[in-house]
């Protein structure tokens, strides 16, 4: 039986990885508009909220299960709506969203969030 094949490429060392991550972070801080950083912070909060809900369901209890489903669906839905908002207000995507102004994108986001949370509230019973 043949052993595992060794690849000809060496794996990146931790120093190379840390340099790449620090370069990426510096580029993000320097080149990303504040509006997008604010949206990214909200996206991180939504992910953290979803992870905490899922961990609570797995580790503690899932009773009542429909409350977990509603909360988790709310996190996923809000993440999708916020990611869509980020894509529409990103200045680099102006060519893809020619007809959509940032104000219109935010109005769509707000209306979609209201409809999402209406359904989530009704799912709770």
């Amino acid at each position: 039986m043949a052993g595992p094949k060794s690849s000809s490429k060496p794996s990146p060392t931790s120093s190379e990885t840390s340099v790449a991550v620090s370069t990426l972070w510096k580029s993000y801080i320097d080149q990303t508009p504040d509006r997008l950083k604010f949206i990214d912070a909200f996206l991180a909060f939504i992910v953290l909220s979803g992870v905490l809900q899922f961990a609570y369901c797995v580790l503690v209890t899932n009773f009542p299960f429909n409350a977990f489903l509603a909360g988790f669906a709310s996190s996923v839905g809000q993440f999708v709506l916020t990611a869509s908002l980020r894509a529409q207000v990103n200045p680099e995507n102006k060519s893809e969203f020619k007809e959509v102004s940032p104000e219109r994108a935010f109005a769509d986001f707000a209306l979609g969030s209201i409809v999402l949370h209406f359904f989530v509230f009704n799912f709770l019973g």
Side-chain angles (χ1 to χ4, degrees):
M1 183 142 245
K5 295 181 181 180
S6 64
S7 81
S8 59
K9 294 182 187 178
S11 63
T13 63
S14 64
S15 66
E16 291 173 343
T17 304
S18 68
V19 168
V21 169
S22 67
T23 303
L24 177 67
W25 183 252
K26 184 175 178 353
S27 175
Y28 175 79
I29 294 298
D30 293 341
Q31 297 177 1
T32 305
D34 289 339
R35 178 183 291 184
L36 293 182
K37 289 178 189 173
F38 184 71
I39 293 173
D40 290 341
F42 186 55
L43 286 169
F45 169 74
I46 293 170
V47 168
L48 179 65
S49 174
V51 167
L52 288 175
Q53 289 178 47
F54 185 76
Y56 181 84
C57 179
V58 169
L59 298 175
V60 179
T61 183
N62 65 356
F63 179 79
F65 191 63
N66 60 335
F68 162 71
L69 287 178
F72 195 74
S74 175
S75 294
V76 171
Q78 194 65 46
F79 183 88
V80 170
L81 289 171
T82 308
S84 174
L85 173 67
R86 188 191 193 286
Q88 291 178 7
V89 300
N90 190 350
E92 294 179 6
N93 295 341
K94 280 250 190 251
S95 63
E96 294 182 35
F97 300 103
K98 293 176 186 168
E99 306 87 29
V100 182
S101 68
E103 293 80 13
R104 164 75 191 273
F106 184 75
D108 291 345
F109 167 77
L111 182 63
S113 296
I114 290 169
V115 171
L116 169 71
H117 289 93
F118 174 74
F119 281 109
V120 166
F121 184 73
N122 282 324
F123 186 75
L124 287 173

Coordinates of all heavy atoms in Angstrom, one line a residue, residues 38 92 99:
F38 N -19.2 49.9 8.9 CA -20.3 49.8 9.9 C -21.2 48.6 9.5 O -21.7 47.9 10.4 CB -21.1 51.1 9.8 CG -22.2 51.2 10.8 CD1 -22.0 51.3 12.1 CD2 -23.6 51.1 10.3 CE1 -23.1 51.4 13.0 CE2 -24.6 51.2 11.2 CZ -24.4 51.3 12.6
E92 N -17.7 50.2 -5.4 CA -17.1 49.5 -6.5 C -18.2 48.7 -7.3 O -17.8 48.2 -8.4 CB -16.1 48.5 -5.9 CG -14.9 49.2 -5.3 CD -13.9 48.2 -4.7 OE1 -14.1 47.0 -4.8 OE2 -13.0 48.7 -4.0
E99 N -29.4 51.6 -11.3 CA -30.7 52.2 -11.0 C -30.9 52.4 -9.5 O -31.9 52.9 -9.1 CB -31.8 51.4 -11.7 CG -31.7 51.2 -13.1 CD -30.9 49.9 -13.5 OE1 -30.9 49.0 -12.6 OE2 -30.3 49.9 -14.5

